Amino acid sequence: GIHKLDFEETLKQSNNFIYSSSVAQSGKHSILLNKENPYSPSIVLSGEELLQDTSKGNRMATVQFYYKEGVVEPGEGILVTSIESSSGIYYYKDIHFNTVSPKINQWNSISIEIPINEIKAKDDPLKIFVWSPQIHRKIYIDNLQYEIVFSKPQ
């Protein structure tokens, strides 16, 4: 199944996310990352739900991002996946937006594969989010999602 945050409805998560209507890949809103709010809302999926789905495809996290000027630098926009137990994070993988040679003034896409076999227990959640420890320009994100991608037969 697909789990998607399109940022059209204000989420009941604790941070004060900035919903922007200046650009959106779908619908009318995106999330603006800035120094005060460097994190996006998270998709949180239970280990149990992920382990129950035995589909053969690759588990992918994807997000769309947009910026209006300059060149995105390392640390400006990072798509993160993590798995944690009550004692802390034991799996962490990220990909920086600048690694996909993004284009200015258009929506760019970046993805990361999630190895479900890393989940150690059904109570351990998978988290998918974007954060931006370095911010030199406005970065908008939209359509953060988890999906199973099936490879096409050769």
Side-chain angles (χ1 to χ4, degrees):
I2 292 181
H3 297 267
K4 184 173 182 176
L5 294 180
D6 62 9
F7 310 125
E8 294 308 304
E9 292 171 29
T10 306
L11 295 161
K12 308 290 183 278
Q13 295 188 20
S14 55
N15 300 25
N16 299 317
F17 302 112
I18 301 173
Y19 290 79
S20 171
S21 56
S22 66
V23 290
Q25 203 224 359
S26 66
K28 296 183 176 162
H29 297 98
S30 59
I31 294 278
L32 171 63
L33 301 179
N34 66 11
K35 284 187 171 67
E36 291 73 42
N37 294 283
Y39 289 92
S40 77
S42 300
I43 293 175
V44 181
L45 301 172
S46 73
E48 183 171 30
E49 177 183 359
L50 296 172
L51 293 169
Q52 276 175 349
D53 189 337
T54 56
S55 307
K56 291 283 184 256
N58 296 335
R59 276 66 176 161
M60 302 295 293
T62 305
V63 71
Q64 314 296 319
F65 67 97
Y66 187 106
Y67 62 103
K68 294 180 174 177
E69 80 273 321
V71 174
V72 167
E73 298 170 23
E76 282 194 288
I78 305 171
L79 176 59
V80 176
T81 59
S82 69
I83 306 168
E84 60 189 76
S85 66
S86 54
S87 55
I89 293 171
Y90 61 81
Y91 175 84
Y92 181 96
K93 189 174 175 189
D94 64 25
I95 185 168
H96 289 242
F97 286 3
N98 69 298
T99 60
V100 294
S101 304
K103 299 197 170 40
I104 196 168
N105 286 319
Q106 70 180 54
W107 286 98
N108 298 273
S109 182
I110 192 164
S111 300
I112 192 168
E113 189 170 350
I114 301 161
I116 296 304
N117 59 355
E118 294 283 348
I119 298 172
K120 295 177 181 168
K122 64 181 198 280
D123 294 335
D124 295 354
L126 165 75
K127 289 185 181 167
I128 301 167
F129 61 93
V130 172
W131 80 297
S132 196
Q134 305 289 324
I135 297 214
H136 307 289
R137 70 208 78 252
K138 290 180 177 174
I139 296 181
Y140 301 88
I141 62 162
D142 205 355
N143 297 326
L144 178 65
Q145 71 179 29
Y146 166 87
E147 63 182 331
I148 300 175
V149 178
F150 300 95
S151 50
K152 297 172 182 67
Q154 298 298 321

